[in-house]
Amino acid sequence: MLNFDNLGLCESILLSIKAKGYTIPTPIQIQAIPHLMEGRDLLGIAQTGTGKTAAFALPLIDRLIKNRVKVRPARMRALILTPTRELAAQILANINIYGKNAKLTNTVMFGGVGERPQIMAMSRGVDILVATPGRLLDLMEQGHVRFEQLEVFILDEADRMLDMGFITDVKRVIQQLPARRQTLLFSATMPQDIASLASTILHKPVRVEVTPQSTTVEKVEQKVAMVEKGNRLMLLRNIVRQNSDGSVLVFTRTKHGADRVVKHLEREKVVAMAIHGNKSQTARERALHSFRSGKIKVLVATDIAARGIDVPGVGFVINYDLPEDPESYVHRIGRTARAGRGGIAISFCDNSELHLLRAVERLIKRKVPVDVTLKHQ
Ligand code: AMP
């Protein structure tokens, strides 16, 4: 069995990943790391949950420490662009863990918080900058960010960038990057716009595709509860009460819906918090922290806010509404059954949403059974 020792990573990285508890590289890590260590470009078709962060971060850290360079003010040696603040913070946290012994300077940059500390952090130059596109562009235009020393550019979740309307910003950033660089592009899906972006920014890339969908989907026990919208709050309350020892992640289609669910649960004496785009960064982080630490049992999220949420031990995922986009279903239920554990996903559905359920079933190539015991009364 292949382990991390065979990948050519330096000792200090091996020590930190061992301390983190990784023993066997995931498929994307096995496939990507050797090529990245050789400096190749990479097209990675993979979503969160596959171990893609370590797949790009480990060889990156290795490269930066094997050849140390003094970074000038406002410059960075590596730029990672990612669509959401949560993902950016999570990637930086992982990099700091993997690079614990590496003595690199890394920082993160995203909107919704003050610019000052981010400008200060850049003023000395950094090894790795993890950023969302909007704030990066702002600070770039103000002259606080410069790319002359950039060696590695990583575009994460490219399809989400497109969905969220960030792709023009991303292209504006790319125009400023030095042509000589190593480029990695990760995307869960490959819509035409992303495929053509990939073909313009990648040079003879290695293509790595991992499909966690089926494996993740297989580990999750999936059910449908046929329940009208007006009865969903009661059913949710019942499910939460009956499973008082596990954490429950609830997905709603809208921000307003998420807030309504939280209010209702609170009236029922169930402590819950919401995480969505209208919440401040601090509120989102507080909610995530409380959920991770087990202080709150229920987190209610919209799809975009939940991208990349990495919470071990989510026992239940509840689709309070079925998503319009069937791939979101796979992302949602992938929040449970992480790291080899099983999990349960319950989707609320009524007759008006049956077409959404069918779309999901076509995508995952299996029927999701209706559980008639799930009742709101
Ligand atoms: P990612 O796809 O990068 O969001 O990673 C998903 C989860 O897998 C994170 O919780 C990582 O800490 C974890 N992970 C990544 N690589 C490994 C590995 N080789 N062994 C065990 N867990 C891993």
Side-chain angles (χ1 to χ4, degrees):
M1 176 76 72
L2 195 61
N3 60 37
F4 281 103
D5 299 338
N6 312 112
L7 295 171
L9 294 162
C10 66
E11 197 56 37
S12 78
I13 297 178
L14 294 178
L15 280 175
S16 12
I17 54 182
K18 201 167 281 165
K20 171 99 174 132
Y22 301 175
T23 47
I24 300 164
T26 67
I28 192 167
Q29 291 161 4
I30 293 172
Q31 291 174 58
I33 291 175
H35 296 294
L36 293 174
M37 301 282 286
E38 287 172 6
R40 295 276 306 265
D41 281 6
L42 180 113
L43 177 62
I45 305 175
Q47 60 183 48
T48 48
T50 55
K52 75 181 158 84
T53 315
F56 67 70
L58 301 179
L60 172 63
I61 296 166
D62 190 80
R63 172 189 179 126
L64 297 179
I65 53 184
K66 278 185 181 150
N67 168 30
R68 292 198 184 260
V69 170
K70 177 143 182 48
V71 193
R72 299 201 300 279
R75 275 72 165 185
M76 78 298 295
R77 297 183 66 193
L79 169 66
I80 301 167
L81 270 189
T82 191
T84 68
R85 313 175 237 193
E86 284 76 15
L87 273 171
Q90 198 164 293
I91 291 171
L92 183 76
N94 277 325
I95 287 177
N96 286 338
I97 292 170
Y98 306 144
K100 197 171 72 200
N101 313 308
K103 298 202 174 60
L104 296 173
T105 49
N106 311 317
T107 194
V108 69
M109 188 179 277
F110 46 66
V113 292
E115 290 180 348
R116 266 291 123 204
Q118 298 174 1
I119 294 172
M120 287 295 288
M122 281 312 294
S123 68
R124 291 179 291 272
V126 296
D127 288 295
I128 302 175
L129 170 63
V130 187
T132 56
R135 175 58 62 88
L136 179 69
L137 264 185
D138 280 353
L139 296 191
M140 181 183 100
E141 279 159 5
Q142 295 174 40
H144 298 297
V145 177
R146 306 181 50 143
F147 299 109
E148 290 94 336
Q149 284 186 276
L150 181 117
E151 298 166 42
V152 183
F153 170 56
I154 300 170
L155 179 58
D156 188 31
E157 309 247 336
D159 53 349
R160 259 314 122 148
M161 294 278 198
L162 187 69
D163 291 349
M164 293 171 73
F166 295 162
I167 209 74
T168 319
D169 284 354
V170 169
K171 287 180 180 164
R172 282 176 59 204
V173 171
I174 292 173
Q175 275 170 3
Q176 304 299 318
L177 304 181
R180 232 182 99 84
R181 57 167 200 253
Q182 183 183 22
T183 307
L184 285 57
L185 185 153
F186 288 91
S187 196
T189 58
M190 235 345 107
Q192 188 49 46
D193 286 2
I194 297 304
S196 46
L197 178 68
S199 70
T200 56
I201 66 170
L202 299 171
H203 177 67
K204 296 196 185 140
V206 182
R207 187 187 156 103
V208 171
E209 183 163 1
V210 289
T211 43
Q213 273 95 335
S214 54
T215 48
T216 307
V217 167
E218 274 153 20
K219 280 192 225 130
V220 183
E221 184 183 346
Q222 300 165 70
K223 307 169 183 184
V224 170
M226 291 306 289
V227 53
E228 297 300 325
K229 298 205 170 57
N231 295 328
R232 289 186 182 179
L233 289 167
M234 297 312 282
L235 176 57
L236 176 62
R237 182 205 62 180
N238 293 351
I239 293 172
V240 170
R241 282 197 182 154
Q242 282 157 19
N243 300 284
S244 52
D245 50 346
S247 39
V248 181
L249 181 58
V250 181
F251 285 96
T252 62
R253 217 152 33 210
T254 65
K255 301 169 196 172
H256 177 68
D259 287 335
R260 220 158 36 91
V261 170
V262 168
K263 274 210 195 87
H264 172 85
L265 288 174
E266 280 173 351
R267 270 203 301 274
E268 299 286 336
K269 308 267 178 295
V270 177
V271 191
M273 286 186 181
I275 172 167
H276 57 61
N278 284 0
K279 298 269 173 188
S280 71
Q281 175 66 16
T282 336
R284 287 154 75 161
E285 270 168 14
R286 194 171 40 212
L288 258 181
H289 180 75
S290 306
F291 191 58
R292 276 205 192 101
S293 65
K295 209 153 82 196
I296 57 166
K297 286 277 164 250
V298 185
L299 185 71
V300 188
T302 55
D303 286 302
I304 285 179
R307 278 294 284 206
I309 290 184
D310 182 15
V311 193
V314 175
F316 274 84
V317 167
I318 308 284
N319 292 312
Y320 195 83
D321 316 291
L322 275 164
E324 293 288 342
D325 162 19
E327 289 199 0
S328 294
Y329 175 88
V330 177
H331 288 302
R332 288 176 176 192
I333 72 165
R335 305 294 105 193
T336 177
R338 288 208 139 190
R341 273 194 286 266
I344 298 176
I346 301 174
S347 301
F348 294 177
C349 183
D350 64 14
N351 288 337
S352 72
E353 292 168 306
L354 280 173
H355 66 289
L356 299 175
L357 179 62
R358 299 296 166 246
V360 165
E361 291 176 333
R362 270 196 303 278
L363 178 72
I364 63 171
K365 300 194 176 68
R366 56 159 71 185
K367 278 206 115 28
V368 186
V370 173
D371 184 339
V372 289
T373 65
L374 291 166
K375 292 228 168 58
H376 64 277
Q377 279 162 335

